[in-house]
Amino acid sequence: MSHAMNNDKLNKHFWVWPIACYLFLGGLGGGILFFAGLFDFIFAPMIGSSIGSVFALGIFIGVAALGIGSFLLVFELGQPFVFLRVFLSKTAIIKWGAVLLSVALIFGFVYFLFYLPPEWNLFYYSWTWIRDICCAVMMVTGICVVLYTGILLSSFKARAFWNTPVLPVLFTASALSTASALLAVTAGLWPAPEFLILGGFAAVPMHDLSEIFVEYLHLIDTVLVAFELVVLLVYVVMMYAAGNNTARKMALQWLRGSFAPLFWGGLVICGLLLPLFFYLSGGVLATIIAPILVLAAGLLLRFMVVFSDVRRPIPGEERFYSRLPKGDETFLFANDSKSH
Amino acid sequence: MTRYAMVMDQRRCIGCQSCTVACRTWNDLPLDIIFNPIVTEGVQGIFPDVHASYTPLICMHCDNPPCTICCPTNASQQDEDGIVWVDSSKCMGCKVCVNACPYGARDVSALDPFLKSFVRKCDFCKDRVREGEQPYCVATCHQNARIFGDLDDPNSDVSKLVNGLGVTTIFPELGTEPQVYYIPDLGGAK
Ligand code: SF4
Ligand code: SF4
């Protein structure tokens, strides 16, 4: 008999690490597909060639993030084999999340297949219209997945610290920021070819081309990180100042309670201020360290928010749940027959 | 039309938890699931003017339940007569509904077998009440503190109480329109 019983329905976390990772990976993967699609959409007409290969590795990681995220979501379920029923629902937000995520994943993956090394000469490489459709679809569904990860939590009226329109903004900023960080570190790496043929004639070294995009991405991420910092502070301070008692208690825990070291040290300083400073100072700090910090902070943020699932207690509930047996009391099993 | 509802007479409840135990037995609940706890803030006041008041809880069978629209599998559903219930064979255990309920009326058991864990909640003993019987907790309450019936029937006890007395509900500002009504205790007043 398992003794891992938790009767405290008030402080119990029904969603734990798989959901936190799912929200992080969903935002990261969706953001990557969005940015990769957007760049291709903007620059391909300008230079006369698809620039998807610059981000090939990033796109692959984005697709993998979506895949792992969905695996975690399903793995976390109580009865995973019932999962396909999700597509029957009409109203549930989580259904839209599942649909958007599946579409983004499939189209992102097909798009990626076009950027396998050119020397492999796969038969479909010339079907560029398929690639362009995939590009458009993954861009749109990608940003929708990003928005969905924030909207999901903010839709719970019963959870005071989640139920605010600031949360989707914060999650969107964080997701896009992690996505641009990841695209920046992986730009131009395998399976990108060494040279990209522009408009059918000039061959440009991948290294030079990716440097241009990395610069753009750093600029974008600098803006996003600065924006995220403001939104994060607004979120927590607003919860403290304008939230109800339940939200205020949670905000205090972030500002100077048990979450404070993670909040100030992990999120504000290491996750946002340092990367901001590193991006502005340039060099290896900007190309490697800052993106890693941004990614780590994105994951930390999801964990902290998911574990801030406070519900307003009905008067007397706190007392009741704190007094229930934990499951290891001998009296509960005193009459169990001993098995041989 | 039928609209099942419950009235909790806090003037009568003595916090004995008979209904809580009865529910566990009738529904054969795992050890870590409770549908209808009785909570109290403890003894209030200064001797000799002390009193305790008990709040029997249960799923509010809300008229506007946030727990059903968010269910991605349609396992959480509300019937015509207002009863909100979970079809355990359709529930995939995503716990969206558990997070959506402001009253802590839903839970999953850690004691369920692996890959067979679903959300459990009170269903007003729908199999009993549709046969004309009372929910098991109501039938058990020897103080008549739990009163059950059809709100749409003007002659039922619940509709007389709800329409006649100053009943309250829990967290009405959330817009869930809970259908469990409370007749508040006099709070030690003489
Ligand atoms: S009390 Fe909770 S579980 Fe019951 S109907 Fe309302 S929201 Fe749903
Ligand atoms: S846990 Fe079950 S009943 Fe609740 S929302 Fe998910 S599928 Fe529906």
Side-chain angles (χ1 to χ4, degrees), chain A residues 77 82 94, chain B residues 67-68 70-77 85-87 90-98 106 108 118-119:
Chain A
L77 294 176
V82 188
I94 217 169
Chain B
C67 59
T68 53
C70 70
C71 173
T73 62
N74 298 342
S76 266
Q77 50 197 292
W85 61 290
V86 178
D87 182 338
K90 293 181 181 170
C91 169
M92 65 179 183
C94 66
K95 291 166 272 182
V96 176
C97 58
V98 184
R106 296 169 165 259
V108 283
F118 49 84
V119 162

Side-chain angles (χ1 to χ4, degrees), chain B residues 1-4 63 79-82 150-154:
Chain B
M1 282 287 286
T2 309
R3 205 323 167 183
Y4 289 120
D63 245 355
D79 287 349
E80 292 277 284
D81 52 12
D150 175 9
L151 211 50
D152 284 351
D153 170 5

